[in-house]
Structures are given as structure tokens and as C-alpha cells.
């Protein structure tokens, strides 16, 4: 059975492997033991309740309970921009107009901003290659909304996600070539590595501070603005399904778009409800991973767990669970669970 | 003989003729007849000191062939650039983007839209008949303005500048304009240039993008013509260089041409000029000087021989004295050639 739990110190080796596998562009997984270890430590402290909300990092792993192997990782930053300065370009507009000359020209303009500082971010979604089947990816991504729903007070009402920007088959980002590279001679993958190492702010400080008129960029760079990497398109689709929309902010290196949704407007947050449970050996297995699958979480902070069950098990205000599932969720008889369908509009 | 004198409204057709045939664009002389007429009027009032605000003074000079009365050249001078409006340039600067942490050190060149030269005195509107281009009269027409300034330095700014036309590509188009202005106007350089002529430079400049511009984002062609003078302006630049003018940190916002700059008191023609009383005679030896009278309202300047001595007077040929409206006992100003 696949289930979600908070990360633990023993997961370090597996996470390093995942960071190696993830390659260029998944910047929040540094392939560096020391950095990764620090990141895990921050998450462990967060789940222990020892971290201020502004510094909190919620790192979740997807584990196969039969083998103990980790299938993937996903995370929520409670308030970005406190550990490091958070930079985006805001896509704005400049109008040059003169009625006498018959000129009225709108020019897309990129404004360097720290506007998203303090917002909550869903980030670091990575599912290992061999587990990319069925519903695992959606589960790993969307389980975070149950956590957000249950612990809303720990998060900002604005929730964002940064999408990996377009780069070609050689890992070359046309936007980086057209802008960033002109300000310091560095390959995108090196800049990207430094970003993953937590040095993004260092690099950002080398970037141009004045607004950039988009027509000054070459065509390839212009075409890359707000364009996601093809590997990221499924993740974007999932976010859109939940109500996230492009918000006119892009990454300063690869121009990948940021999407945003109000926490309470996220579909899975809005639709999630509390249920009692009963133990039932007659409970129904998930028949179709693409069908009516639900996520069920406990309401515990430090021992947060999420599993998937078939929608047919919800009856009369109760959800039927097996003893193994009850074990994983760590439920006592009085405990309620929070549940929501993975796909919108199924129940 | 050629003399430089204040323009008069009757010179208008002569000036129009000059502009048609001139190799370098003179955007500061409007091709529209009414506008040009207004400018000549303003010049007349400036010479006569009839303006309520002397800072609005603009002086237009013509080079006249005294035998034929023909207008052979024109040059101009503004006491105070802008006059109630900003005088636009790009100021070139460098910002250092450096990080010890990352071992990076990059200089980013930036163009800032600047009004800093507003209030400078400006040399403008230079055009001369093609056949006179390689004669001393080119120099006369250009430097006569300094002789005029020397007479009334208080009227002028401490700083004098001039905008030199930038380089155009083989199609006669400005790569600098194409890389900046065109994005914001959707009109080509010559159309923009036309509007500068019939409206004003400030009018167009106010439509230019307000944020600083990173040079590294401009096309290589645009970068390569920044601060480069059009070859047709070589003689002008040489003369100005002899007078102590240098390239500044400013360039034109349309074609990227250089702005030359000097402290007014350091202009060689001015600082080396002397004022003495004349004694006229029929035959004079001596050597050639730039010579002008000392009456700004009836200003005349020419090139001719005079004999300088250690006293307070110089000897000048009668016909030359007549040509600059001076008689025995008058003061004249002269400067090296």
C-alpha cells in the first residue's frame, strides 16, 4: 500500500538518489548531501512543532508500506522569501501613447519583484520513474491539499506553485540565454544548480534590477516567457484542475510561470470533509485507479498520514477501512478522518 | 568675401535651398516654412534682446557671400537647452554586478534617460554649401558662434554641448533607433525624424521608454553605433575638438550619436580671443585671424588679416572693417585661426 508521511532523517539516502534522478530544473532538490540533510532537518523540526511558521517546511514522502521504498516526495513551504529573498519577474505593461502621432503602443515589461514573499508554496514534486503509473503522481501532489485544509492557520491565504520553465533537449533555456547569461557568463544548469543549493538569492542579486522591455529580448527568449517544460505540463494540468491559474509572475532564470490560488478556493480544500470510520473487512478495493479514488488523511500534525481508498467505501457518514489502513493512519476509535476525491466532481 | 551675420527673415528661401542639398540631416531646422519663419523671428528678437526671458534666446547665423548676397551656410546657438522643457539624452553608465560568493564580476552598461544637460548652451543647426565644405569658411561659420558668445558670456551657460549626428546603416536607417525607439513607436527612423522636425524633439522624447536600458540587450548593430559620429560630421568634430570639445557620457536618444561637451570658458576660440581698438588703413600685412565686431545686435564675423602689436590697438584694412560694421576707434575681437 502507498501512503504519505512526513519525512524522517533516515530518508536522506533515498532523497539524494531522487535529486540525482531529477536532473536540471527541479531546483528544490539539491543533489548535495549537506544541503539535503539541512533541508530534511528543517522539515523534521517543522513537524515537531519547533519552527516558526515563516520558516516552516513541510516535506512529505510517498512510501510503499510493503517494501519500505520511497516512491516520491512533495512539499509545502509555509511562507516563501524568509529564508532567502524571493524574486520573480512580474509581467507588466508599458503604454506609449500620443494621439497627435496616432501612436498607442503596449509593451510587455518585466518588473523584478519580491511580491510573492510570504505566500505559501506547493513545491518539490518528484515521483521516481518506476512509480510513474496509475494514480501515484496525482496522489503525491494533491494529498497536500488535505494538509492545507486541516492546518489552514499555518499558511498564507495565497498559495502558489512555480512551474519549471521551458528548456530544450540539451537543457538550454532560451530565456536564460537571452537575458541571464548576458549579465553573468554562466550556463543555465550551473545557475540552476546554485539555485538548488540555496544560492538563488545570490544569483538574483546579479540580475538586472531595472525593468526589462520584452521586445529587447530575442524572439526565442520572448517565446519562452510563461512556457512550461514539457515534463511539467502534467503537473500544471493537475494544478489547473484544482483551481490554480497563471498569475503573471515568472521565474527570473527560465521564465517558467507561477500559478496561484486562494487556499480556501483550492478545489480539494473546499470539497474535503470530515468522516468517522469503521473497520470493515468487507471494504472495497480500488478497482480503477482512474475512477472514484479518494484520499483519506488523519488529523494529526506530527504523525500526518494519507492513504487512498475507493469512493464506494463512503456510506452513511462513515468510511470503511481495513485494519492495516487504520494502523497506518494511527486512528483511535474517536478520531475522525479528512477525505476528498482525487478527481473533481465525483461525489 | 564671406561674412557671418545674424539671420534675417529674407534669408528664408536661401536656407530652405541649403537644407535640400545638405548631406547631414539638420533636424533642428524645420522643413515646414511657417515653423522655420517662427524660428527666424525668434532669432531676430534674440539678437535685438527683445525677449522677456533671455534664456529663450536662440541665435541663427548665416554665412553670406558679400559679392552675391547669397546665403551659403547656416549655424545656430541656443543660450539654454530645453527652455521650460527637458532636454533629453541618454547618459551612459556602468553598473557592476559582482558576487564574491559566486566569483562573478560583470559590468553592465546602462542607458539612463537624462535631462541633465537641460540648461546647457547648445550649438545647433549647422549646414553649409557643399562647395564650401573644404574651405576656411566652414570654420568661419562654425567658430563665429564662439566669437559671438565671447562678447556676452553671461547670457550663456557654463557648459556648451552639441549633438553630433549618429551613424546610419547602408539603407540610411538608424540601427540604434531600430533597436530601441522603433519598439515603442512602430514608426521608422525617418518618420520619427520628421516628427522631431515638425513637432519638437522633446515631444517625441517624452514618448520614449522611461526605464533605464541595458545595452547588452540591444542588437549588436545598435551597440556598435553607440556614441559614434556620422562620417559626414568629421570636419565638424575636428574643429570642435580643436576648441576643446570632447565626447561626453551622453548620446542622442534617437540615433545614438555622441554629445560633445566643453566648459564654455574653456572653448579655445573664446579663451584665446582678444579685444582691441582698430586703426584702419588701405594696406595691411599681418596674418589671418577670425575677426568680429563687438556689437552682438549687429554681429559680423569674418576671416581676414590684421596686424597685432603690443599696444591696445590693431591695424585692419578698411574694406574688412566695413565688412564687420566697424570704423576707426571701435573695438573688435579676434582669435587665432
Amino acid at each position: 500500500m502507498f501512503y504519505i508521511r512526513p519525512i524522517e532523517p533516515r530518508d536522506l539516502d533515498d532523497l539524494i538518489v531522487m535529486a540525482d534522478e531529477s536532473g536540471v530544473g527541479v531546483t528544490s532538490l539539491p543533489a548535495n548531501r549537506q544541503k539535503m540533510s539541512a533541508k530534511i532537518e528543517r522539515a523534521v523540526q517543522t513537524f515537531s512543532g519547533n519552527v516558526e511558521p515563516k520558516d516552516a517546511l513541510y516535506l512529505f514522502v510517498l512510501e510503499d508500506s510493503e517494501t519500505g521504498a520511497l516512491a516520491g516526495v512533495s512539499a509545502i513551504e509555509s511562507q516563501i522569501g524568509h529564508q532567502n529573498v524571493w524574486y520573480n519577474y512580474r509581467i507588466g505593461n508599458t503604454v506609449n501613447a500620443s494621439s497627435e502621432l496616432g501612436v498607442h503602443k503596449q509593451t510587455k515589461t518585466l518588473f523584478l519583484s519580491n511580491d510573492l514573499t510570504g505566500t505559501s508554496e506547493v513545491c518539490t514534486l518528484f515521483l521516481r520513474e518506476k512509480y510513474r503509473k496509475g494514480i501515484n503522481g496525482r496522489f503525491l501532489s494533491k494529498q497536500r491539499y488535505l494538509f492545507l485544509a486541516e492546518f489552514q492557520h499555518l499558511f498564507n491565504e495565497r498559495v502558489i506553485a512555480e512551474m519549471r520553465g521551458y528548456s530544450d533537449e540539451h537543457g538550454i533555456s532560451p530565456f536564460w540565454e537571452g537575458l541571464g547569461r548576458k549579465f553573468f557568463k554562466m550556463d543555465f544548469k550551473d545557475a540552476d544548480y546554485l539555485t538548488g543549493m540555496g544560492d538563488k538569492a545570490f544569483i538574483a542579486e546579479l540580475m538586472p534590477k531595472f525593468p526589462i522591455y520584452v521586445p529587447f529580448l530575442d524572439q526565442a527568449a520572448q517565446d519562452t516567457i510563461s512556457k512550461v517544460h514539457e515534463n511539467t505540463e502534467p503537473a500544471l494540468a493537475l494544478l489547473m484542475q484544482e483551481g490554480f491559474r497563471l498569475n503573471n509572475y515568472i521565474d527570473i532564470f527560465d521564465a517558467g510561470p507561477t500559478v496561484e490560488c486562494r487556499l480556501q478556493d483550492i478545489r480539494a480544500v473546499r470539497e474535503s470533509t470530515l468522516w468517522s470510520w469503521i473497520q470493515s473487512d468487507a471494504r472495497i478495493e480500488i478497482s480503477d485507479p482512474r475512477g472514484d479514488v479518494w484520499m483519506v488523511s488523519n488529523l494529526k500534525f506530527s504523525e500526518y498520514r494519507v492513504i487512498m481508498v475507493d469512493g464506494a467505501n463512503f456510506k452513511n457518514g462513515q468510511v470503511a477501512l481495513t485494519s492495516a489502513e487504520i494502523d497506518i493512519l494511527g486512528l483511535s476509535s474517536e478520531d475522525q478522518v479528512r477525505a476528498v476525491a482525487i478527481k473533481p466532481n465525483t461525489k | 568675401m564671406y561674412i557671418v551675420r545674424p539671420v534675417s527673415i529674407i534669408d528664408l528661401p536661401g536656407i530652405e535651398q541649403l537644407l535640400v542639398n545638405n548631406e547631414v540631416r539638420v533636424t533642428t531646422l524645420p522643413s515646414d516654412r511657417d515653423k522655420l519663419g517662427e524660428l527666424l523671428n525668434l532669432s531676430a528678437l534674440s539678437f535685438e534682446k527683445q525677449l522677456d526671458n533671455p534664456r529663450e534666446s536662440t541665435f541663427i547665423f548665416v554665412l553670406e557671400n558679400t559679392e552675391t548676397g547669397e546665403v551659403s551656410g547656416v549655424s545656430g546657438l541656443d543660450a539654454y537647452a530645453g527652455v521650460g522643457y527637458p532636454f533629453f539624452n541618454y547618459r551612459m553608465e556602468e553598473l557592476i554586478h559582482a558576487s564574491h560568493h559566486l566569483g562573478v564580476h560583470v559590468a553592465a552598461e546602462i542607458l539612463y534617460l537624462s535631462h541633465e544637460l537641460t540648461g546647457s548652451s547648445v550649438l545647433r543647426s549647422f549646414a553649409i554649401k557643399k562647395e564650401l565644405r573644404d574651405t576656411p569658411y566652414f570654420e568661419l561659420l562654425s567658430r563665429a558662434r564662439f566669437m559671438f558668445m565671447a562678447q556676452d558670456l553671461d547670457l550663456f551657460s557654463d557648459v556648451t554641448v552639441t549633438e553630433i549626428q549618429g551613424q546610419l546603416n547602408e539603407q540610411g536607417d538608424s540601427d540604434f533607433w531600430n533597436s530601441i525607439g522603433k519598439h515603442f513607436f512602430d514608426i521608422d527612423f525617418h518618420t520619427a525624424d520628421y516628427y522631431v522636425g515638425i513637432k519638437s524633439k522633446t515631444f517625441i522624447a517624452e514618448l520614449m521608454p522611461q526605464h533605464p536600458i541595458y545595452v547588452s540587450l540591444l542588437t549588436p548593430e545598435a551597440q556598435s553605433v553607440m556614441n559614434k559620429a556620422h562620417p559626414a560630421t568629421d570636419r565638424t568634430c575636428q574643429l570642435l575638438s580643436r576648441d576643446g570639445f570632447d565626447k561626453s557620457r551622453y548620446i542622442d536618444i534617437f540615433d545614438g550619436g555622441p554629445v560633445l561637451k566643453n566648459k564654455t570658458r574653456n572653448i579655445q576660440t573664446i579663451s584665446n580671443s582678444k579685444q582691441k581698438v582698430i586703426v584702419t588703413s588701405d594696406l595691411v600685412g599681418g596674418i589671418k585671424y577670425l575677426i568680429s565686431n563687438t556689437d552682438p545686435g549687429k554681429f559680423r564675423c569674418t576671416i581676414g588679416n590684421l596686424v597685432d602689436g603690443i599696444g591696445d590697438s590693431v591695424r585692419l584694412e578698411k574694406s574688412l572693417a566695413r565688412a564687420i560694421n566697424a570704423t576707426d576707434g571701435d573695438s573688435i575681437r579676434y582669435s587665432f585661426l
Side-chain angles (χ1 to χ4, degrees):
Chain A
M1 186 196 332
F2 284 98
Y3 75 102
I4 297 288
R5 63 165 170 82
I7 199 155
E8 292 172 15
R10 64 181 162 96
D11 299 324
L12 177 61
D13 288 342
D14 286 322
L15 243 67
I16 296 281
V17 171
M18 282 194 238
D20 283 337
E21 288 173 5
S22 68
V24 173
V26 185
T27 49
S28 45
L29 276 184
N32 170 290
R33 198 168 186 88
Q34 204 185 344
K35 298 270 181 186
M36 186 68 92
S37 175
K39 192 161 186 154
I40 291 174
E41 179 58 20
R42 182 154 74 95
V44 168
Q45 289 302 322
T46 297
F47 280 110
S48 307
N50 298 329
V51 176
E52 293 278 307
K54 70 179 176 58
D55 295 322
L57 167 67
Y58 301 90
L59 209 47
F60 307 93
V61 293
L62 178 64
E63 183 181 317
D64 180 349
S65 63
E66 271 116 66
T67 63
L70 293 196
V73 58
S74 65
I76 313 172
E77 287 269 6
S78 66
Q79 289 186 29
I80 56 177
H82 292 295
Q83 296 260 323
N84 281 310
V85 182
W86 192 270
Y87 290 98
N88 288 104
Y89 280 126
R90 179 172 57 79
I91 305 174
N93 205 358
T94 302
V95 175
N96 292 59
S98 161
S99 51
E100 283 184 74
L101 298 188
V103 169
H104 190 280
K105 187 79 200 263
Q106 301 190 28
T107 305
K108 227 193 242 187
T109 310
L110 305 180
F111 296 90
L112 192 65
S113 92
N114 309 121
D115 291 358
L116 299 181
T117 303
T119 59
S120 297
E121 186 199 20
V122 291
C123 55
T124 318
L125 182 69
F126 183 73
L127 182 63
R128 300 181 69 178
E129 187 83 46
K130 67 173 172 174
Y131 298 101
R132 286 180 199 166
K133 58 191 175 195
I135 204 165
N136 289 338
R138 274 175 283 172
F139 179 43
L140 184 58
S141 172
K142 293 192 179 187
Q143 60 83 18
R144 293 175 291 193
Y145 306 132
L146 287 178
F147 194 83
L148 286 173
E150 186 59 32
F151 303 104
Q152 292 188 25
H153 60 284
L154 297 177
F155 298 96
N156 193 275
E157 63 171 350
R158 295 173 74 185
V159 181
I160 64 131
E162 287 201 307
M163 299 286 97
R164 179 180 172 189
Y166 172 81
S167 56
D168 68 13
E169 64 272 28
H170 308 295
I172 288 171
S173 156
F175 186 78
W176 175 261
E177 296 300 315
L179 184 60
R181 180 186 279 283
K182 300 197 166 166
F183 291 88
F184 49 111
K185 322 297 176 203
M186 191 181 280
D187 283 341
F188 176 63
K189 60 177 190 299
D190 296 334
D192 196 54
Y193 174 76
L194 289 168
T195 302
M197 298 285 283
D199 288 345
K200 184 161 184 168
F202 281 109
I203 305 177
E205 277 153 22
L206 297 173
M207 292 289 281
K209 297 289 183 296
F210 296 119
I212 303 293
Y213 296 109
V214 170
F216 287 172
L217 304 178
D218 60 52
Q219 197 56 46
Q222 290 188 33
D223 293 345
T224 309
I225 292 172
S226 289
K227 188 174 170 186
V228 298
H229 191 277
E230 58 178 12
N231 292 351
T232 302
E233 278 165 13
L236 178 61
L238 289 182
L239 287 159
M240 302 286 278
Q241 210 177 54
E242 293 297 326
F244 285 82
R245 295 291 177 264
L246 298 190
N247 66 355
N248 264 347
Y249 290 90
I250 58 168
D251 184 73
I252 61 173
F253 296 154
D254 67 12
T258 298
V259 293
E260 177 173 342
C261 190
R262 299 250 151 202
L263 194 153
Q264 292 178 346
D265 292 340
I266 298 171
R267 193 278 314 177
V269 170
R270 216 176 51 227
E271 291 183 359
S272 77
T273 43
L274 296 178
W275 296 76
S276 309
W277 56 274
I278 50 162
Q279 184 174 340
S280 164
D281 296 329
R283 89 103 167 79
I284 300 154
E285 292 286 329
I286 293 173
S287 52
D288 174 12
R290 306 242 161 232
D292 186 26
V293 179
W294 283 56
M295 301 182 288
V296 177
S297 77
N298 63 19
L299 309 184
K300 299 168 195 273
F301 179 73
S302 301
E303 281 93 39
Y304 177 71
R305 299 286 185 277
V306 198
I307 58 168
M308 290 179 281
V309 303
D310 196 277
N313 296 302
F314 292 84
K315 274 182 201 141
N316 309 321
Q318 287 186 315
V319 53
L321 301 171
T322 65
S323 58
E325 287 166 343
I326 293 162
D327 267 3
I328 281 180
L329 292 174
L331 300 174
S332 324
S333 54
E334 298 303 308
D335 291 342
Q336 285 189 303
V337 295
R338 182 175 286 276
V340 72
I342 285 188
K343 276 169 49 175
N345 308 319
T346 48
K347 197 157 195 153
Chain B
M1 190 190 302
Y2 284 92
I3 60 147
V4 168
R5 60 164 173 80
V7 77
S8 145
I9 195 73
I10 57 164
D11 297 321
L12 195 143
I15 292 175
E16 284 180 333
Q17 197 55 40
L18 260 178
L19 296 182
V20 170
N21 297 322
N22 202 55
E23 185 179 3
V24 184
R25 292 177 304 113
V26 187
T27 49
T28 49
L29 287 178
S31 48
D32 179 86
R33 175 165 280 201
D34 290 345
K35 298 263 179 198
L36 184 57
E38 277 172 34
L39 178 65
L40 301 192
N41 242 335
L42 179 61
S43 172
L45 293 173
S46 303
F47 279 110
E48 290 159 18
K49 291 191 177 292
Q50 296 293 312
L51 293 173
D52 292 339
N53 179 5
R55 287 183 144 187
E56 290 175 17
S57 298
T58 197
F59 303 96
I60 307 292
F61 304 86
V62 290
L63 177 67
E64 181 189 319
N65 178 337
T66 53
E67 274 111 62
T68 63
E70 186 194 27
V71 173
S72 306
V74 60
S75 66
L77 174 63
D78 286 346
Y80 185 95
V83 198
Y85 295 97
F87 182 71
F88 281 90
N89 302 98
Y90 278 131
R91 189 179 68 247
M92 301 181 288
E93 283 195 14
E94 251 181 21
L95 282 183
I96 304 300
H97 290 209
S99 164
H100 288 295
H101 182 82
L102 301 177
V104 171
H105 183 105
V106 177
E109 255 191 289
I110 293 180
L111 302 179
Y112 291 92
L113 208 53
S114 164
H115 303 160
E116 224 170 331
L117 296 181
T118 305
S120 309
S121 296
V122 190
L123 305 173
R124 56 177 282 185
S125 308
F126 189 89
I128 192 166
K129 281 183 77 170
K130 212 168 184 175
E131 54 269 33
L132 293 182
R133 214 140 36 91
D134 296 322
T135 67
Y137 306 117
F138 188 105
E139 185 172 346
L140 168 62
L141 179 59
S142 179
R143 291 177 60 202
R145 294 176 288 191
F146 302 139
M147 297 294 277
F148 180 80
M149 291 172 86
Q151 209 51 48
D152 198 358
L153 278 178
D154 288 346
L155 181 61
F156 296 95
S157 161
D158 292 343
V159 170
T160 301
V161 300
T162 185
E163 299 173 295
I164 302 294
Q165 193 192 339
Q167 289 186 354
L168 303 180
N169 62 24
E170 283 171 7
Q171 290 79 47
D173 211 355
S174 164
D175 287 324
F176 190 79
W177 171 261
N178 286 346
S179 190
I180 300 182
K182 196 174 179 188
H183 293 308
F184 300 91
F185 288 90
D186 265 348
I187 55 180
D188 65 25
F189 178 67
H190 293 286
T191 311
D193 209 40
Y194 167 77
Y195 283 127
V196 168
I198 63 161
K199 297 282 182 189
S200 74
K201 189 158 178 174
T202 309
F203 177 83
I204 307 295
E206 280 171 350
L207 295 173
M208 290 291 277
Q210 296 295 305
H211 296 300
I213 286 169
Y214 290 100
V215 172
S216 61
L217 298 180
L218 303 182
T219 60
E221 294 80 14
Q223 294 185 37
S224 72
V225 298
M226 261 175 55
N227 209 12
K228 299 269 173 63
H230 191 287
T233 66
D234 282 356
R235 180 99 199 270
T236 301
C237 293
Q238 273 167 18
L239 279 175
L240 289 168
S241 168
R242 264 177 58 202
D243 257 304
F245 281 83
D246 271 322
K247 280 186 180 176
S248 60
R249 290 191 302 147
Y250 303 91
I251 59 173
D252 184 70
I253 61 172
F254 295 115
D255 66 13
V259 172
L260 306 186
K261 187 167 167 240
N262 196 5
K263 288 209 166 107
T264 304
R265 280 172 197 282
N266 290 347
I267 296 171
Q268 296 292 302
T269 303
I270 296 175
S271 59
N272 290 330
S273 73
K274 289 182 199 159
Q275 194 174 324
K276 284 190 181 179
V277 171
I278 53 166
V279 177
T280 63
S281 61
D282 287 332
L283 273 175
V284 173
I287 55 169
K288 278 195 188 329
Y289 285 93
L290 201 55
I291 305 168
S292 75
N293 65 17
T294 55
D295 178 358
K298 298 189 170 107
F299 181 75
R300 295 287 184 280
C301 185
T302 189
I303 291 173
N305 282 28
L306 63 72
V307 179
D308 195 2
I310 49 171
D312 294 335
S313 62
V314 292
R315 294 172 71 84
L316 197 64
E317 197 189 320
K318 278 198 170 107
S319 63
L320 201 55
R322 260 200 309 278
I324 60 167
N325 285 347
T327 57
D328 272 307
D330 284 350
S331 275
I332 59 137
R333 180 175 296 277
Y334 60 103
S335 193
F336 69 91
L337 258 187

PDB file of all heavy atoms in Angstrom, chain A residues 42 90 123 242 262 282 293:
ATOM      1  N   ARG A  42      15.234  20.681   8.667  1.00  0.00           N
ATOM      2  CA  ARG A  42      14.260  21.765   8.817  1.00  0.00           C
ATOM      3  C   ARG A  42      12.837  21.200   8.793  1.00  0.00           C
ATOM      4  O   ARG A  42      11.977  21.606   9.584  1.00  0.00           O
ATOM      5  CB  ARG A  42      14.448  22.812   7.696  1.00  0.00           C
ATOM      6  CG  ARG A  42      13.511  24.004   7.803  1.00  0.00           C
ATOM      7  CD  ARG A  42      14.104  25.241   7.132  1.00  0.00           C
ATOM      8  NE  ARG A  42      14.087  25.192   5.685  1.00  0.00           N
ATOM      9  CZ  ARG A  42      13.116  25.724   4.924  1.00  0.00           C
ATOM     10  NH1 ARG A  42      12.092  26.315   5.495  1.00  0.00           N
ATOM     11  NH2 ARG A  42      13.193  25.654   3.616  1.00  0.00           N
ATOM     12  N   ARG A  90       7.485  40.205 -12.634  1.00  0.00           N
ATOM     13  CA  ARG A  90       6.058  40.400 -12.872  1.00  0.00           C
ATOM     14  C   ARG A  90       5.917  40.862 -14.321  1.00  0.00           C
ATOM     15  O   ARG A  90       6.637  41.755 -14.776  1.00  0.00           O
ATOM     16  CB  ARG A  90       5.493  41.465 -11.934  1.00  0.00           C
ATOM     17  CG  ARG A  90       4.017  41.742 -12.133  1.00  0.00           C
ATOM     18  CD  ARG A  90       3.481  42.672 -11.044  1.00  0.00           C
ATOM     19  NE  ARG A  90       4.211  43.937 -10.979  1.00  0.00           N
ATOM     20  CZ  ARG A  90       4.024  44.952 -11.808  1.00  0.00           C
ATOM     21  NH1 ARG A  90       3.117  44.866 -12.768  1.00  0.00           N
ATOM     22  NH2 ARG A  90       4.722  46.063 -11.692  1.00  0.00           N
ATOM     23  N   CYS A 123       5.509  22.782  -3.601  1.00  0.00           N
ATOM     24  CA  CYS A 123       6.765  22.702  -4.359  1.00  0.00           C
ATOM     25  C   CYS A 123       7.345  21.301  -4.322  1.00  0.00           C
ATOM     26  O   CYS A 123       6.777  20.396  -3.711  1.00  0.00           O
ATOM     27  CB  CYS A 123       7.774  23.698  -3.786  1.00  0.00           C
ATOM     28  SG  CYS A 123       8.064  23.494  -2.024  1.00  0.00           S
ATOM     29  N   GLU A 242      -7.252  21.995  -9.956  1.00  0.00           N
ATOM     30  CA  GLU A 242      -7.581  22.356  -8.572  1.00  0.00           C
ATOM     31  C   GLU A 242      -7.925  23.842  -8.420  1.00  0.00           C
ATOM     32  O   GLU A 242      -8.198  24.304  -7.322  1.00  0.00           O
ATOM     33  CB  GLU A 242      -6.413  22.004  -7.649  1.00  0.00           C
ATOM     34  CG  GLU A 242      -6.178  20.504  -7.518  1.00  0.00           C
ATOM     35  CD  GLU A 242      -7.364  19.769  -6.879  1.00  0.00           C
ATOM     36  OE1 GLU A 242      -8.025  20.346  -6.003  1.00  0.00           O
ATOM     37  OE2 GLU A 242      -7.638  18.618  -7.287  1.00  0.00           O
ATOM     38  N   ARG A 262      -6.291  30.989  -4.115  1.00  0.00           N
ATOM     39  CA  ARG A 262      -6.589  31.242  -2.697  1.00  0.00           C
ATOM     40  C   ARG A 262      -6.717  29.890  -2.010  1.00  0.00           C
ATOM     41  O   ARG A 262      -7.332  28.970  -2.564  1.00  0.00           O
ATOM     42  CB  ARG A 262      -7.915  31.990  -2.547  1.00  0.00           C
ATOM     43  CG  ARG A 262      -7.923  33.328  -3.205  1.00  0.00           C
ATOM     44  CD  ARG A 262      -7.950  34.459  -2.201  1.00  0.00           C
ATOM     45  NE  ARG A 262      -7.289  35.607  -2.806  1.00  0.00           N
ATOM     46  CZ  ARG A 262      -6.763  36.620  -2.124  1.00  0.00           C
ATOM     47  NH1 ARG A 262      -6.837  36.644  -0.808  1.00  0.00           N
ATOM     48  NH2 ARG A 262      -6.170  37.603  -2.735  1.00  0.00           N
ATOM     49  N   ALA A 282     -14.965  -6.085   4.779  1.00  0.00           N
ATOM     50  CA  ALA A 282     -15.710  -6.145   3.521  1.00  0.00           C
ATOM     51  C   ALA A 282     -15.502  -4.896   2.686  1.00  0.00           C
ATOM     52  O   ALA A 282     -16.191  -4.659   1.704  1.00  0.00           O
ATOM     53  CB  ALA A 282     -17.205  -6.307   3.817  1.00  0.00           C
ATOM     54  N   VAL A 293     -11.376   7.485  -6.875  1.00  0.00           N
ATOM     55  CA  VAL A 293     -10.423   7.253  -5.788  1.00  0.00           C
ATOM     56  C   VAL A 293     -10.412   8.454  -4.844  1.00  0.00           C
ATOM     57  O   VAL A 293     -10.430   9.596  -5.293  1.00  0.00           O
ATOM     58  CB  VAL A 293      -9.009   7.007  -6.351  1.00  0.00           C
ATOM     59  CG1 VAL A 293      -8.014   6.795  -5.211  1.00  0.00           C
ATOM     60  CG2 VAL A 293      -9.010   5.812  -7.298  1.00  0.00           C
TER      61      VAL A 293
END
